[in-house]
Amino acid sequence: MSDLTSTRRFKRVVVKLSGEALQGSAPHGLDAVTIARIAADLATAAAAGHEIAVVVGGGNFFRGIKGAETGIERARADSIGMLATVMNGLALEQAVEGQGRQARCLSAVSMPSICESFSRRAALHHLAKGRVVIAAGGTGNPFFTTDTGAVLRAAELSADAVLKATQVDGVYTADPKRDPTAERYDRLTHDEAIAKNLAVMDTAAFALARENKIPILVFSIAEAGAIDGALSGRARATLVAP
């Protein structure tokens, strides 16, 4: 059995979506068709028996590190970015429910009039009920990326893997859109990903995954059925694992 075929064993997973994945071909914001496609994919994976949590970024609205470059204090800029992830989480929650699957947006930044606050207990309860859990607000703290937030949530929820959705079908030696000579990896260890400084996730995320022995499956979200394909072993992907 190949590594990717063995991803069928992943029962509970955290899917990491960038904010940019939700904007489709638009320069910023949300694209309704793209969100509906991703929501349908999440609903299909949940219907197949997987327990699905999602950590979503906010780069389609605001990126904290970019805001800091314009003169906004970094901690404040990151706080703005956290709010952007909540906007995406709410949109994704509605889109998943529009596919006939219950979903709950839980925010690490408390805003009870808008959505539930994130807690491990609440998230596990919703997962057990078959609901798609959308963990917004990053970690709730500045200076941490949503990649690190995804691995943190995976560790908290005892997830079997993190599914890192990107615009390319795995991890490459360089950006294949810029470097046609870039070579693709089928499998890496966490140590190799850190040592090679591969930019698909930040070092803190890889290190946390290594410490907790959490596999990371990197795949392309560009096509319909990508998440279900990654979970079933049909999609091209790179497995980062101990």
Side-chain angles (χ1 to χ4, degrees), residues 27-166:
H28 57 80
L30 298 167
D31 178 71
V33 173
T34 300
I35 294 175
R37 170 175 62 79
I38 293 173
D41 202 356
L42 292 167
T44 297
H50 298 283
E51 295 181 2
I52 306 292
V54 182
V55 169
V56 62
N60 53 324
F61 288 117
F62 188 90
R63 293 178 64 85
I65 195 165
K66 292 293 186 183
E69 290 173 359
T70 67
I72 302 174
E73 182 185 23
R74 175 63 190 273
R76 195 181 304 271
D78 281 353
S79 294
I80 299 170
M82 289 179 216
L83 297 179
T85 72
V86 176
M87 291 192 289
N88 283 335
L90 292 171
L92 197 55
E93 177 188 53
Q94 177 174 312
V96 172
E97 291 186 338
Q99 298 293 326
R101 192 83 193 180
Q102 287 192 337
R104 293 292 186 276
C105 180
L106 310 181
S107 173
V109 180
S110 181
M111 44 185 75
S113 64
I114 295 176
C115 61
E116 234 180 298
S117 293
F118 180 89
S119 73
R120 179 176 183 272
R121 184 174 181 178
L124 289 173
H125 169 76
H126 292 311
L127 289 173
K129 292 288 187 181
R131 297 166 183 151
V132 174
V133 170
I134 298 138
T139 67
N141 298 285
F143 302 102
F144 291 94
T145 68
T146 48
D147 281 346
T148 300
V151 179
L152 174 64
R153 296 301 178 226
E156 286 182 298
L157 301 176
S158 301
D160 298 314
V162 171
L163 272 60
K164 165 72 173 178
T166 70

Side-chain angles (χ1 to χ4, degrees), residues 186-226:
D186 285 325
R187 181 178 174 125
L188 290 160
T189 66
H190 299 104
D191 284 334
E192 288 172 330
I194 293 169
K196 295 175 186 294
N197 197 30
L198 298 173
V200 68
M201 294 184 88
D202 62 84
T203 301
F206 278 130
L208 186 59
R210 177 183 61 186
E211 181 180 342
N212 291 277
K213 298 180 172 58
I214 300 171
I216 300 170
L217 193 66
V218 183
F219 68 103
S220 171
I221 194 67
E223 302 295 334

